[in-house]
Short mmCIF file of all heavy atoms in Angstrom, two decimals:
data_model
loop_
_atom_site.label_atom_id
_atom_site.label_comp_id
_atom_site.label_asym_id
_atom_site.label_seq_id
_atom_site.Cartn_x
_atom_site.Cartn_y
_atom_site.Cartn_z
N ILE N 604 -31.27 35.42 -68.03
CA ILE N 604 -30.54 35.09 -66.79
C ILE N 604 -31.28 33.97 -66.06
O ILE N 604 -32.49 34.04 -65.84
CB ILE N 604 -30.40 36.31 -65.88
CG1 ILE N 604 -29.69 37.45 -66.61
CG2 ILE N 604 -29.65 35.95 -64.61
CD1 ILE N 604 -28.27 37.12 -67.02
N ILE N 605 -30.54 32.93 -65.74
CA ILE N 605 -31.05 31.89 -64.86
C ILE N 605 -30.20 31.90 -63.59
O ILE N 605 -29.04 32.31 -63.61
CB ILE N 605 -31.02 30.50 -65.52
CG1 ILE N 605 -29.58 30.10 -65.87
CG2 ILE N 605 -31.91 30.47 -66.75
CD1 ILE N 605 -29.46 28.68 -66.40
N TRP N 606 -30.80 31.45 -62.50
CA TRP N 606 -30.13 31.50 -61.20
C TRP N 606 -29.83 30.09 -60.74
O TRP N 606 -30.68 29.19 -60.83
CB TRP N 606 -31.00 32.22 -60.18
CG TRP N 606 -31.26 33.65 -60.55
CD1 TRP N 606 -32.26 34.13 -61.35
CD2 TRP N 606 -30.48 34.78 -60.15
NE1 TRP N 606 -32.16 35.49 -61.47
CE2 TRP N 606 -31.09 35.92 -60.75
CE3 TRP N 606 -29.36 34.95 -59.35
CZ2 TRP N 606 -30.58 37.20 -60.56
CZ3 TRP N 606 -28.86 36.23 -59.16
CH2 TRP N 606 -29.47 37.34 -59.76
N ARG N 607 -28.62 29.92 -60.23
CA ARG N 607 -28.17 28.61 -59.75
C ARG N 607 -27.81 28.73 -58.27
O ARG N 607 -27.04 29.62 -57.88
CB ARG N 607 -26.95 28.15 -60.56
CG ARG N 607 -26.35 26.84 -60.07
CD ARG N 607 -27.28 25.66 -60.29
NE ARG N 607 -26.72 24.44 -59.73
CZ ARG N 607 -25.89 23.64 -60.37
NH1 ARG N 607 -25.51 23.95 -61.61
NH2 ARG N 607 -25.43 22.54 -59.81
N GLU N 608 -28.37 27.84 -57.47
CA GLU N 608 -28.13 27.88 -56.03
C GLU N 608 -26.78 27.25 -55.70
O GLU N 608 -26.32 26.33 -56.38
CB GLU N 608 -29.24 27.14 -55.29
CG GLU N 608 -30.62 27.75 -55.45
CD GLU N 608 -31.69 26.95 -54.74
OE1 GLU N 608 -31.39 25.79 -54.38
OE2 GLU N 608 -32.81 27.45 -54.57
N PHE N 609 -26.17 27.77 -54.65
CA PHE N 609 -24.93 27.19 -54.15
C PHE N 609 -24.90 27.38 -52.63
O PHE N 609 -25.59 28.23 -52.08
CB PHE N 609 -23.69 27.84 -54.79
CG PHE N 609 -23.44 29.25 -54.34
CD1 PHE N 609 -22.56 29.51 -53.30
CD2 PHE N 609 -24.08 30.31 -54.94
CE1 PHE N 609 -22.33 30.81 -52.87
CE2 PHE N 609 -23.86 31.62 -54.51
CZ PHE N 609 -22.97 31.87 -53.48
N GLY N 610 -24.09 26.57 -51.99
CA GLY N 610 -23.98 26.63 -50.53
C GLY N 610 -24.28 25.27 -49.93
O GLY N 610 -24.01 24.22 -50.51
N ILE N 611 -24.87 25.28 -48.74
CA ILE N 611 -25.26 24.06 -48.03
C ILE N 611 -26.75 23.84 -48.24
O ILE N 611 -27.57 24.65 -47.84
CB ILE N 611 -24.92 24.15 -46.53
CG1 ILE N 611 -23.42 24.37 -46.34
CG2 ILE N 611 -25.37 22.91 -45.80
CD1 ILE N 611 -23.01 24.56 -44.91
N LYS N 612 -27.10 22.74 -48.90
CA LYS N 612 -28.49 22.45 -49.26
C LYS N 612 -28.91 21.11 -48.67
O LYS N 612 -28.08 20.21 -48.47
CB LYS N 612 -28.66 22.43 -50.78
CG LYS N 612 -28.37 23.74 -51.47
CD LYS N 612 -28.42 23.59 -52.98
CE LYS N 612 -29.74 23.03 -53.46
NZ LYS N 612 -29.80 22.92 -54.93
N LEU N 613 -30.20 21.00 -48.44
CA LEU N 613 -30.77 19.75 -47.94
C LEU N 613 -32.18 19.61 -48.50
O LEU N 613 -33.01 20.52 -48.34
CB LEU N 613 -30.81 19.73 -46.41
CG LEU N 613 -31.57 18.55 -45.80
CD1 LEU N 613 -30.84 17.25 -46.08
CD2 LEU N 613 -31.77 18.73 -44.31
N ASN N 614 -32.44 18.50 -49.16
CA ASN N 614 -33.78 18.13 -49.62
C ASN N 614 -34.11 16.76 -49.04
O ASN N 614 -33.29 15.84 -49.13
CB ASN N 614 -33.86 18.09 -51.15
CG ASN N 614 -33.59 19.44 -51.78
OD1 ASN N 614 -33.97 20.47 -51.25
ND2 ASN N 614 -32.93 19.43 -52.92
N PHE N 615 -35.31 16.62 -48.48
CA PHE N 615 -35.67 15.34 -47.91
C PHE N 615 -37.17 15.10 -48.06
O PHE N 615 -37.96 16.05 -48.18
CB PHE N 615 -35.25 15.22 -46.44
CG PHE N 615 -36.18 15.88 -45.47
CD1 PHE N 615 -37.22 15.18 -44.88
CD2 PHE N 615 -36.01 17.21 -45.13
CE1 PHE N 615 -38.08 15.79 -43.99
CE2 PHE N 615 -36.86 17.83 -44.24
CZ PHE N 615 -37.90 17.12 -43.66
N TYR N 616 -37.53 13.83 -48.07
CA TYR N 616 -38.92 13.37 -48.09
C TYR N 616 -39.04 12.26 -47.05
O TYR N 616 -38.27 11.30 -47.07
CB TYR N 616 -39.30 12.86 -49.48
CG TYR N 616 -40.67 12.23 -49.56
CD1 TYR N 616 -41.80 13.00 -49.78
CD2 TYR N 616 -40.83 10.85 -49.41
CE1 TYR N 616 -43.05 12.42 -49.86
CE2 TYR N 616 -42.08 10.26 -49.49
CZ TYR N 616 -43.19 11.06 -49.71
OH TYR N 616 -44.43 10.48 -49.77
N ALA N 617 -39.99 12.41 -46.13
CA ALA N 617 -40.11 11.47 -45.01
C ALA N 617 -41.49 10.82 -45.03
O ALA N 617 -42.49 11.46 -45.35
CB ALA N 617 -39.88 12.19 -43.68
N GLU N 618 -41.51 9.55 -44.68
CA GLU N 618 -42.75 8.79 -44.56
C GLU N 618 -42.67 7.92 -43.31
O GLU N 618 -41.73 7.16 -43.12
CB GLU N 618 -42.97 7.90 -45.79
CG GLU N 618 -44.24 7.07 -45.71
CD GLU N 618 -44.41 6.17 -46.92
OE1 GLU N 618 -43.57 6.26 -47.84
OE2 GLU N 618 -45.38 5.38 -46.93
N ILE N 619 -43.68 8.07 -42.45
CA ILE N 619 -43.73 7.30 -41.20
C ILE N 619 -44.29 5.92 -41.53
O ILE N 619 -45.46 5.78 -41.89
CB ILE N 619 -44.58 8.01 -40.15
CG1 ILE N 619 -44.01 9.41 -39.87
CG2 ILE N 619 -44.65 7.20 -38.87
CD1 ILE N 619 -44.86 10.23 -38.92
N VAL N 620 -43.46 4.90 -41.41
CA VAL N 620 -43.87 3.53 -41.72
C VAL N 620 -44.59 2.90 -40.53
O VAL N 620 -45.63 2.26 -40.67
CB VAL N 620 -42.65 2.69 -42.13
CG1 VAL N 620 -43.06 1.26 -42.45
CG2 VAL N 620 -41.96 3.32 -43.34
N SER N 621 -44.05 3.06 -39.34
CA SER N 621 -44.65 2.55 -38.12
C SER N 621 -44.29 3.49 -36.98
O SER N 621 -43.69 4.55 -37.20
CB SER N 621 -44.17 1.12 -37.83
OG SER N 621 -42.78 1.11 -37.57
N ASP N 622 -44.67 3.10 -35.76
CA ASP N 622 -44.36 3.95 -34.62
C ASP N 622 -42.89 3.92 -34.24
O ASP N 622 -42.47 4.62 -33.32
CB ASP N 622 -45.21 3.56 -33.41
CG ASP N 622 -44.98 2.10 -33.02
OD1 ASP N 622 -44.48 1.35 -33.87
OD2 ASP N 622 -45.30 1.74 -31.88
N SER N 623 -42.09 3.12 -34.92
CA SER N 623 -40.67 3.06 -34.60
C SER N 623 -39.76 3.18 -35.82
O SER N 623 -38.54 3.21 -35.67
CB SER N 623 -40.33 1.74 -33.89
OG SER N 623 -40.67 0.63 -34.71
N LEU N 624 -40.33 3.28 -37.04
CA LEU N 624 -39.52 3.27 -38.25
C LEU N 624 -39.98 4.37 -39.19
O LEU N 624 -41.18 4.64 -39.32
CB LEU N 624 -39.63 1.91 -38.96
CG LEU N 624 -38.55 1.58 -39.99
CD1 LEU N 624 -37.18 1.50 -39.33
CD2 LEU N 624 -38.86 0.26 -40.68
N ILE N 625 -39.01 5.02 -39.84
CA ILE N 625 -39.26 6.12 -40.77
C ILE N 625 -38.49 5.83 -42.05
O ILE N 625 -37.29 5.52 -42.01
CB ILE N 625 -38.82 7.48 -40.18
CG1 ILE N 625 -39.58 7.78 -38.89
CG2 ILE N 625 -39.02 8.61 -41.18
CD1 ILE N 625 -39.09 9.01 -38.18
N LYS N 626 -39.17 5.96 -43.18
CA LYS N 626 -38.50 5.89 -44.48
C LYS N 626 -38.10 7.29 -44.89
O LYS N 626 -38.94 8.19 -44.94
CB LYS N 626 -39.40 5.26 -45.53
CG LYS N 626 -38.77 5.21 -46.92
CD LYS N 626 -39.70 4.61 -47.94
CE LYS N 626 -39.84 3.11 -47.73
NZ LYS N 626 -40.64 2.48 -48.83
N LEU N 627 -36.84 7.48 -45.18
CA LEU N 627 -36.28 8.82 -45.40
C LEU N 627 -35.54 8.84 -46.73
O LEU N 627 -34.63 8.04 -46.95
CB LEU N 627 -35.33 9.18 -44.24
CG LEU N 627 -34.85 10.62 -44.16
CD1 LEU N 627 -36.02 11.54 -43.91
CD2 LEU N 627 -33.83 10.76 -43.03
N HIS N 628 -35.94 9.76 -47.59
CA HIS N 628 -35.21 10.04 -48.84
C HIS N 628 -34.52 11.38 -48.65
O HIS N 628 -35.18 12.42 -48.51
CB HIS N 628 -36.16 10.08 -50.03
CG HIS N 628 -35.47 10.38 -51.33
ND1 HIS N 628 -34.85 9.42 -52.09
CD2 HIS N 628 -35.28 11.55 -51.99
CE1 HIS N 628 -34.32 9.97 -53.17
NE2 HIS N 628 -34.57 11.27 -53.13
N ILE N 629 -33.22 11.38 -48.65
CA ILE N 629 -32.46 12.57 -48.29
C ILE N 629 -31.41 12.85 -49.35
O ILE N 629 -30.83 11.91 -49.95
CB ILE N 629 -31.80 12.39 -46.89
CG1 ILE N 629 -31.13 13.67 -46.45
CG2 ILE N 629 -30.86 11.21 -46.86
CD1 ILE N 629 -30.69 13.65 -45.01
N ARG N 630 -31.17 14.14 -49.61
CA ARG N 630 -30.16 14.56 -50.58
C ARG N 630 -29.42 15.78 -50.02
O ARG N 630 -29.81 16.92 -50.25
CB ARG N 630 -30.81 14.92 -51.91
CG ARG N 630 -29.80 15.20 -53.04
CD ARG N 630 -30.52 15.60 -54.32
NE ARG N 630 -29.60 15.68 -55.44
CZ ARG N 630 -28.86 16.74 -55.74
NH1 ARG N 630 -28.94 17.82 -54.98
NH2 ARG N 630 -28.05 16.73 -56.77
N PRO N 631 -28.35 15.57 -49.26
CA PRO N 631 -27.52 16.70 -48.80
C PRO N 631 -26.52 17.09 -49.89
O PRO N 631 -26.02 16.25 -50.64
CB PRO N 631 -26.81 16.14 -47.56
CG PRO N 631 -26.74 14.67 -47.81
CD PRO N 631 -27.94 14.30 -48.63
N GLU N 632 -26.20 18.38 -49.94
CA GLU N 632 -25.28 18.90 -50.96
C GLU N 632 -24.51 20.08 -50.40
O GLU N 632 -25.08 20.93 -49.70
CB GLU N 632 -26.06 19.33 -52.20
CG GLU N 632 -25.20 19.94 -53.30
CD GLU N 632 -26.02 20.37 -54.50
OE1 GLU N 632 -27.11 19.81 -54.70
OE2 GLU N 632 -25.57 21.27 -55.24
N VAL N 633 -23.23 20.12 -50.71
CA VAL N 633 -22.36 21.25 -50.34
C VAL N 633 -21.65 21.70 -51.61
O VAL N 633 -20.99 20.90 -52.28
CB VAL N 633 -21.33 20.84 -49.27
CG1 VAL N 633 -20.37 22.00 -48.99
CG2 VAL N 633 -22.03 20.43 -47.98
N SER N 634 -21.80 22.96 -51.97
CA SER N 634 -21.18 23.51 -53.18
C SER N 634 -20.56 24.86 -52.86
O SER N 634 -20.99 25.57 -51.93
CB SER N 634 -22.21 23.65 -54.30
OG SER N 634 -23.27 24.49 -53.91
N SER N 635 -19.55 25.23 -53.62
CA SER N 635 -18.85 26.50 -53.45
C SER N 635 -18.44 27.02 -54.81
O SER N 635 -18.36 26.28 -55.80
CB SER N 635 -17.62 26.33 -52.54
OG SER N 635 -16.72 25.39 -53.10
N LEU N 636 -18.17 28.33 -54.87
CA LEU N 636 -17.77 28.97 -56.11
C LEU N 636 -16.30 28.73 -56.39
O LEU N 636 -15.47 28.78 -55.49
CB LEU N 636 -18.06 30.47 -56.05
CG LEU N 636 -19.52 30.88 -55.80
CD1 LEU N 636 -19.63 32.39 -55.74
CD2 LEU N 636 -20.43 30.31 -56.87
N ASP N 637 -15.98 28.47 -57.64
CA ASP N 637 -14.62 28.22 -58.08
C ASP N 637 -14.31 29.20 -59.21
O ASP N 637 -14.69 28.97 -60.37
CB ASP N 637 -14.47 26.77 -58.55
CG ASP N 637 -13.03 26.43 -58.91
OD1 ASP N 637 -12.15 27.28 -58.67
OD2 ASP N 637 -12.79 25.32 -59.44
N PHE N 638 -13.63 30.30 -58.87
CA PHE N 638 -13.31 31.31 -59.87
C PHE N 638 -12.12 30.89 -60.72
O PHE N 638 -11.91 31.45 -61.81
CB PHE N 638 -13.02 32.64 -59.19
CG PHE N 638 -14.25 33.27 -58.57
CD1 PHE N 638 -14.57 33.04 -57.25
CD2 PHE N 638 -15.07 34.09 -59.32
CE1 PHE N 638 -15.70 33.61 -56.68
CE2 PHE N 638 -16.20 34.66 -58.77
CZ PHE N 638 -16.51 34.42 -57.44
N THR N 639 -11.32 29.94 -60.25
CA THR N 639 -10.16 29.51 -61.03
C THR N 639 -10.58 28.84 -62.33
O THR N 639 -9.99 29.06 -63.39
CB THR N 639 -9.29 28.57 -60.19
OG1 THR N 639 -8.92 29.23 -58.98
CG2 THR N 639 -8.04 28.18 -60.95
N ASN N 640 -11.60 28.00 -62.25
CA ASN N 640 -12.07 27.28 -63.43
C ASN N 640 -13.29 27.94 -64.07
O ASN N 640 -14.02 27.28 -64.82
CB ASN N 640 -12.42 25.83 -63.04
CG ASN N 640 -11.22 25.08 -62.51
OD1 ASN N 640 -10.13 25.21 -63.04
ND2 ASN N 640 -11.43 24.29 -61.46
N GLY N 641 -13.54 29.20 -63.78
CA GLY N 641 -14.66 29.90 -64.37
C GLY N 641 -14.43 30.23 -65.83
O GLY N 641 -13.32 30.11 -66.37
N ILE N 642 -15.48 30.67 -66.50
CA ILE N 642 -15.41 31.04 -67.91
C ILE N 642 -15.96 32.45 -68.07
O ILE N 642 -16.63 32.99 -67.17
CB ILE N 642 -16.20 30.05 -68.79
CG1 ILE N 642 -17.68 30.03 -68.37
CG2 ILE N 642 -15.59 28.66 -68.71
CD1 ILE N 642 -18.54 29.15 -69.28
N GLU N 643 -15.71 33.03 -69.23
CA GLU N 643 -16.17 34.38 -69.54
C GLU N 643 -16.97 34.33 -70.83
O GLU N 643 -16.47 33.87 -71.87
CB GLU N 643 -14.99 35.34 -69.67
CG GLU N 643 -15.42 36.79 -69.81
CD GLU N 643 -14.24 37.75 -69.75
OE1 GLU N 643 -13.14 37.30 -69.37
OE2 GLU N 643 -14.44 38.93 -70.06
N ILE N 644 -18.23 34.77 -70.76
CA ILE N 644 -19.13 34.75 -71.90
C ILE N 644 -19.71 36.14 -72.09
O ILE N 644 -20.37 36.67 -71.18
CB ILE N 644 -20.26 33.72 -71.72
CG1 ILE N 644 -19.70 32.32 -71.51
CG2 ILE N 644 -21.22 33.75 -72.90
CD1 ILE N 644 -20.76 31.28 -71.26
N SER N 645 -19.43 36.72 -73.26
CA SER N 645 -19.98 38.05 -73.63
C SER N 645 -19.71 39.08 -72.55
O SER N 645 -20.57 39.91 -72.21
CB SER N 645 -21.49 37.93 -73.90
OG SER N 645 -21.75 37.02 -74.93
N GLY N 646 -18.53 39.04 -72.01
CA GLY N 646 -18.16 40.00 -70.98
C GLY N 646 -18.57 39.62 -69.58
O GLY N 646 -18.24 40.33 -68.64
N PHE N 647 -19.30 38.53 -69.41
CA PHE N 647 -19.72 38.07 -68.09
C PHE N 647 -18.74 37.00 -67.62
O PHE N 647 -18.51 36.01 -68.33
CB PHE N 647 -21.14 37.49 -68.13
CG PHE N 647 -22.20 38.48 -68.50
CD1 PHE N 647 -22.62 38.60 -69.81
CD2 PHE N 647 -22.76 39.30 -67.54
CE1 PHE N 647 -23.60 39.49 -70.17
CE2 PHE N 647 -23.74 40.21 -67.88
CZ PHE N 647 -24.16 40.32 -69.20
N LYS N 648 -18.21 37.17 -66.43
CA LYS N 648 -17.33 36.18 -65.84
C LYS N 648 -18.16 35.29 -64.92
O LYS N 648 -18.70 35.74 -63.91
CB LYS N 648 -16.20 36.84 -65.06
CG LYS N 648 -15.14 35.85 -64.59
CD LYS N 648 -13.96 36.54 -63.95
CE LYS N 648 -12.88 35.54 -63.56
NZ LYS N 648 -11.71 36.21 -62.92
N ILE N 649 -18.25 34.03 -65.30
CA ILE N 649 -19.10 33.08 -64.58
C ILE N 649 -18.21 32.09 -63.85
O ILE N 649 -17.43 31.37 -64.49
CB ILE N 649 -20.03 32.34 -65.55
CG1 ILE N 649 -20.82 33.34 -66.38
CG2 ILE N 649 -20.96 31.41 -64.78
CD1 ILE N 649 -21.61 32.71 -67.47
#
């Protein structure tokens, strides 16, 4: 079994360049479950 995250996610990396500027690497993500397009493997409905 492996686990996969879903929902509202945010990953970021910040670096202060100067007293007025910030370098920002950001990755926002929104995911939801879709049972309509799911599959069934060995009796497990994914």
Side-chain angles (χ1 to χ4, degrees):
I604 302 297
I605 61 175
W606 298 87
R607 176 67 184 274
E608 297 178 345
F609 71 95
I611 300 176
K612 298 174 56 178
L613 171 67
N614 298 324
F615 80 92
Y616 174 86
E618 179 182 356
I619 301 176
V620 180
S621 65
D622 59 341
S623 59
L624 198 63
I625 300 173
K626 177 181 288 187
L627 191 64
H628 179 84
I629 186 170
R630 188 182 188 275
E632 177 181 335
V633 176
S634 59
S635 59
L636 301 179
D637 185 7
F638 291 93
T639 304
N640 298 319
I642 60 176
E643 188 172 348
I644 302 177
S645 301
F647 296 95
K648 189 174 183 180
I649 306 172

